[in-house]
Amino acid sequence: MKYLVRDKLLAIGDDCWIEDEDGRHAFLVDGKALRFRDTLELKDPDGRILITLREKLLVFRDAMTLERDERRLAMIRRKRFSLLRNHFSVTMAEGTELDVSGRILDREFKVEYDGELLALISRQWYRVRETYAVDVVREDADAALLVAVAVCVIRMAEKEREDDL
């Protein structure tokens, strides 16, 4: 299943619908303005919070946490010893690790678990400017989690680019 994401959701305080490939509202990204740290909520079409995305403060490297039902679901960090600048790891609460690699700022990357492809993130499927797709490859995968991972790594890469300027 493909989900269409518009880059405008990267601005704090903005709300943005993520649509499925049939044009139906699948998720709402609710940007929480006036918070001490970046916070986004990924909600279902009925307004229920599925995943909360938070910037982790006071850590050596940038990190974001994903929470479900107020419990940590995952921690996202740039890979420590990667020669590739666009390489992130997603450590799940139970200890498993997802690998995110590719051209993050170009919106051309993948999410894998133990070498198995879970999702492809790409602009190539859409001609709409400032839009990319999260293609959840496995039917049994947690689509909300994979969309949240894509939003987080893009947000982190954008912030790092701003800090480098």
Side-chain angles (χ1 to χ4, degrees):
M1 173 72 75
K2 289 183 184 145
Y3 297 94
L4 180 66
V5 184
R6 290 180 179 81
D7 275 338
K8 78 170 195 159
L9 72 86
L10 294 176
I12 287 292
D14 285 349
D15 295 345
C16 180
W17 280 103
I18 295 174
E19 299 171 347
D20 66 16
E21 58 193 333
D22 297 321
R24 294 183 304 247
H25 288 169
F27 304 107
L28 173 68
V29 178
D30 185 2
K32 298 296 178 185
L34 304 174
R35 297 272 176 112
F36 182 60
R37 59 185 177 172
D38 284 354
T39 302
L40 299 170
E41 292 174 342
L42 188 67
K43 298 179 178 181
D44 70 10
D46 295 324
R48 288 184 296 267
I49 299 171
L50 302 173
I51 298 179
T52 302
L53 300 73
R54 295 185 202 279
E55 179 182 33
K56 192 89 167 133
L57 294 178
L58 304 173
V59 292
F60 177 67
R61 291 178 323 201
D62 288 337
M64 288 190 83
T65 58
L66 304 179
E67 299 170 3
R68 181 175 278 153
D69 300 325
E70 298 184 20
R71 290 191 310 266
R72 192 179 87 180
L73 177 63
M75 172 83 66
I76 302 175
R77 293 187 176 162
R78 176 166 301 288
K79 257 207 166 148
R80 225 180 297 201
F81 299 111
S82 173
L83 296 174
L84 300 173
R85 193 178 159 102
N86 292 310
H87 205 138
F88 290 83
S89 66
V90 181
T91 305
M92 303 301 293
E94 75 275 359
T96 59
E97 190 170 301
L98 306 181
D99 187 59
V100 181
S101 62
R103 298 185 327 266
I104 308 294
L105 293 174
D106 292 334
R107 310 318 189 245
E108 299 291 335
F109 59 97
K110 60 187 174 180
V111 181
E112 297 176 306
Y113 169 68
D114 201 24
E116 182 181 352
L117 183 64
L118 299 177
L120 282 172
I121 293 75
S122 179
R123 281 193 169 146
Q124 73 181 8
W125 294 301
Y126 294 97
R127 301 263 183 248
V128 180
R129 192 167 191 232
E130 303 300 322
T131 302
Y132 61 93
V134 178
D135 184 7
V136 178
V137 177
R138 286 190 46 164
E139 287 184 26
D140 63 339
D142 184 342
L145 171 66
L146 294 170
V147 168
V149 166
V151 169
C152 281
V153 297
I154 290 169
R155 190 177 195 89
M156 292 171 71
E158 290 278 345
K159 185 176 181 189
E160 184 176 278
R161 181 179 64 183
E162 289 172 10
D163 291 346
D164 288 346
L165 296 179

